[in-house]
Amino acid sequence: MKNRRWTLWLRRLGIAGLALIVLFFAAAMAFPSLQLTQKACTVMLRVNAEAFALTHPSRELKFDGNGNSTPKLLAQEQKGYAEQVPVLMYHYVVPKQYNKEPDNNSMINLESFEAGMKYLHDAGYYAATLSELEDYLHGFIQLPKKSVVITFDDGYENNYIYAYPVLKKYGLKASLFVIGSHVQKQTSTSFDPAKSSYLSQEQLDAASDVFDYYSHTYDLHKKEETFCGKKLALTHDSTKLQADIAKMKGLGYTTPYFAYPFGSYDDKMIYYLKENGYRMAFTVKQGFVQPGDSPLELKRLTVTSSTNMEQLLETGTTD
């Protein structure tokens, strides 16, 4: 048995070595102007990724359904069920007069946000939960043709001050991916819309009739420069990622859903998320979610102040 293991390991090492040679020459041909060390660094990263995939085969996710039932159609015009579902992505919500970065796609004017939520309500959209989306993804339930999932990243305090009342007004559910280390111990007594601040535990509890909460890491929503001179999210360090997951779960965020910081991920990260019980993870890649999609590489749609909501929901673009 040991001999078989060693033989398999040597074979994998040989494959990795061959891949290194092939990729090195491919990089040299493709990027002749780069320094040799830069080429070697890039190639090594790719080889390491290939070697990891060979030595850490990804296990199949076992999922038997969450027990949801197919929601009733909300309106007479909803004839049929969704072939794809838009997952809307928001971060920072602020009144237009306080939006000092109008070109920042992570910030949306409160006026535009409310107009979008009003459109969803008036057009008869069903705001599905992540639990329902997971069942839909695996074919356990269908969702109404006009279905949408509303997500927020980071956990800014303005999500409670501004977004929460609007969502409640229009009867819409949403999911919020929280950065654990940013949760305030006490609610600020002087909220300033012109400054960035984060939700307190008291506010999270108060908004739980609208929001469900999931992990955006405890403290890895940062970038550091790698030896290749590129800045990557700290989640790419598997040792840090596993320790961070444990810390987040220790705070009670034990749900199986995750949002990648900066939308950045790789096969190694997917592997460790699976090993720690995560079943769905969200990127910032633009597109819809369809049954059969890779559960840990789900797409979303960025919503900005200038977004035409009707067009976005129909085409996935605002062009």
Side-chain angles (χ1 to χ4, degrees):
M1 187 66 177
K2 285 186 177 179
N3 288 338
R4 288 183 63 186
R5 289 177 181 172
W6 276 104
T7 301
L8 181 59
W9 183 84
L10 288 170
R11 285 178 180 173
R12 288 171 175 170
L13 184 62
I15 292 171
L18 179 60
L20 172 61
I21 295 171
V22 172
L23 289 173
F24 180 82
F25 281 105
M29 294 296 291
F31 308 104
S33 63
L34 293 178
Q35 295 296 322
L36 185 62
T37 53
Q38 291 176 307
K39 296 174 186 175
C41 180
T42 301
V43 169
M44 281 302 299
L45 285 177
R46 293 173 64 183
V47 171
N48 286 340
E50 290 293 331
F52 183 88
L54 287 170
T55 55
H56 295 75
S58 182
R59 63 184 178 85
E60 288 292 324
L61 283 172
K62 186 177 181 181
F63 179 64
D64 298 320
N66 291 315
N68 293 301
S69 300
T70 295
K72 294 180 180 179
L73 297 178
L74 299 183
Q76 189 64 34
E77 64 269 17
Q78 290 215 32
K79 298 176 180 177
Y81 295 95
E83 295 182 1
Q84 57 187 16
V85 173
V87 179
L88 305 182
M89 179 174 61
Y90 297 94
H91 292 78
Y92 198 95
V93 183
V94 66
K96 184 177 181 179
Q97 62 177 315
Y98 296 111
N99 188 349
K100 307 303 181 184
E101 300 179 49
D103 296 326
N104 185 341
N105 286 343
S106 292
M107 301 179 74
I108 185 171
N109 296 336
L110 172 59
E111 296 83 353
S112 299
F113 176 75
E114 175 148 19
M117 297 305 101
K118 183 178 187 302
Y119 174 80
L120 294 179
H121 173 270
D122 293 351
Y125 272 84
Y126 177 72
T129 65
L130 293 194
S131 173
E132 290 173 322
L133 183 70
E134 185 179 23
D135 278 347
Y136 166 81
L137 187 67
H138 293 283
F140 286 93
I141 66 170
Q142 293 179 304
L143 288 174
K145 190 172 184 179
K146 288 185 175 181
S147 289
V148 66
V149 173
I150 303 169
T151 68
F152 289 77
D153 286 3
D154 302 337
Y156 290 106
E157 190 173 12
N158 55 47
N159 294 175
Y160 175 75
I161 302 296
Y162 297 126
Y164 169 66
V166 172
L167 291 165
K168 191 166 185 176
K169 175 181 177 180
Y170 293 110
L172 300 169
K173 296 286 187 179
S175 298
L176 199 160
F177 293 99
V178 178
I179 301 172
S181 63
H182 289 183
V183 176
Q184 299 179 74
K185 292 181 180 179
Q186 293 183 331
T187 303
S188 172
T189 56
S190 56
F191 171 75
D192 186 347
K195 294 181 180 180
S196 176
S197 58
Y198 290 90
L199 288 158
S200 68
Q201 187 59 54
E202 181 184 3
Q203 290 168 327
L204 290 170
D205 293 340
S208 62
D209 58 333
V210 166
F211 285 109
D212 290 326
Y213 304 113
Y214 307 102
S215 177
H216 203 28
T217 76
Y218 177 78
D219 196 28
L220 297 185
H221 199 286
K222 306 169 185 175
K223 291 183 179 180
E224 68 177 8
E225 190 169 308
T226 68
F227 61 91
C228 283
K230 295 181 179 179
K231 285 190 174 182
L232 294 176
L234 291 181
T235 43
H236 285 272
D237 184 323
S238 55
T239 301
K240 290 180 180 177
L241 175 61
Q242 293 183 86
D244 188 273
I245 288 172
K247 199 161 189 177
M248 199 62 171
K249 288 187 175 182
L251 291 179
Y253 294 89
T254 58
T255 55
Y257 311 133
F258 184 87
Y260 297 108
F262 311 105
S264 179
Y265 70 98
D266 56 23
D267 289 341
K268 186 180 291 189
M269 206 180 301
I270 290 175
Y271 173 85
Y272 284 112
L273 286 179
K274 283 184 179 180
E275 289 298 303
N276 284 278
Y278 288 96
R279 300 195 304 260
M280 284 200 310
F282 294 84
T283 72
V284 297
K285 291 181 179 179
Q286 298 298 293
F288 296 93
V289 170
Q290 298 175 317
D293 282 351
S294 175
L296 290 163
E297 299 177 87
L298 297 177
K299 298 175 181 177
R300 290 189 284 179
L301 296 173
T302 299
V303 188
T304 69
S305 297
S306 60
T307 294
N308 180 316
M309 183 64 78
E310 181 177 8
Q311 182 179 347
L312 182 70
L313 295 172
E314 290 180 359
T315 67
T317 66
T318 55
D319 298 332

